[in-house]
Amino acid sequence: RPTVQCEHCSDAFYCSNDCREAHASEHAKACPGQQAKASKGKKSQLPKEELLKPIEKKDGVPEVTLQELADCRSSGKLWIGCMGRVFDVTGSEFYGAAGNYSSFVGKDTSVALGKMKFNKEYFDPAAMHWRRDLDEKELNILNDWMVKFADKYPLVGYIKG
C-alpha cells in the first residue's frame, strides 16, 4: 500500500489521503508541526498598560523635535516617527519620492498606523496622540509596526516631548 506522510512532521504515516483526513484531528493534537503552525498565526496581545510604559532610551541617541523630524528631507534624510522613536528609512524605495509610503516621511506616523487610517489629522500628534487616543487593539497594531521598523531600520532619535 502507498503511504502518505504528514506534511508537518515525519512521525505520522497514513495508508492514503482518505485515511489521513479521517485521522487528521486526532493527529493534530499530537503533531508538533501542526501545533506550531496554529500558534504562529495567533499573536499575543499586550495589555494597554504594558504598551504605554515609558520608553527605555538608549544612551547616545538624541531627542528629535517634531520640527526636526518634519525638516529631515531638507538634509537628505528620510525619517519617520513611530511610537516615540525616530527611524531612518533613507534608502528604502518605499519611502523615497516615488514610494508608496513617501507621505510618512517627516511625520509621527503613530496614530495613523495604529488606526490604519491615513488622513491628515492622523499624522498630527497635537490633534491625536498615540498614548492618549489609541485603544488596546490599536496600540498592539502600532507596536507591531514599531517592532518591524526597529528590526529593519536604524533608530536615530526619540521624539521630544
Side-chain angles (χ1 to χ4, degrees), residues 62-133:
E63 287 193 331
V64 175
T65 66
L66 290 172
Q67 188 60 53
E68 290 170 323
L69 178 60
D71 293 340
C72 70
R73 275 189 208 259
S74 64
S75 60
K77 299 172 187 166
L78 301 179
W79 289 355
I80 58 167
C82 181
M83 214 168 180
R85 296 154 180 90
V86 178
F87 296 98
D88 186 351
V89 297
T90 306
S92 170
E93 62 186 52
F94 297 114
Y95 300 95
N100 293 335
Y101 304 111
S102 64
S103 63
F104 290 12
V105 172
K107 297 182 177 97
D108 181 347
T109 63
S110 301
V111 173
L113 291 172
K115 289 187 173 288
M116 296 304 293
K117 295 181 180 178
F118 304 106
N119 300 352
K120 187 178 180 178
E121 65 267 20
Y122 297 113
F123 291 98
D124 180 4
M128 297 185 91
H129 194 276
W130 66 274
R131 288 190 173 276
R132 179 186 64 233
D133 297 307

Side-chain angles (χ1 to χ4, degrees), residues 116-150:
M116 296 304 293
K117 295 181 180 178
F118 304 106
N119 300 352
K120 187 178 180 178
E121 65 267 20
Y122 297 113
F123 291 98
D124 180 4
M128 297 185 91
H129 194 276
W130 66 274
R131 288 190 173 276
R132 179 186 64 233
D133 297 307
L134 297 183
D135 64 26
E136 188 171 282
K137 180 180 176 186
E138 292 166 334
L139 283 167
N140 273 282
I141 292 168
L142 175 59
N143 190 61
D144 288 345
W145 279 104
M146 190 276 300
V147 168
K148 287 177 191 175
F149 291 138

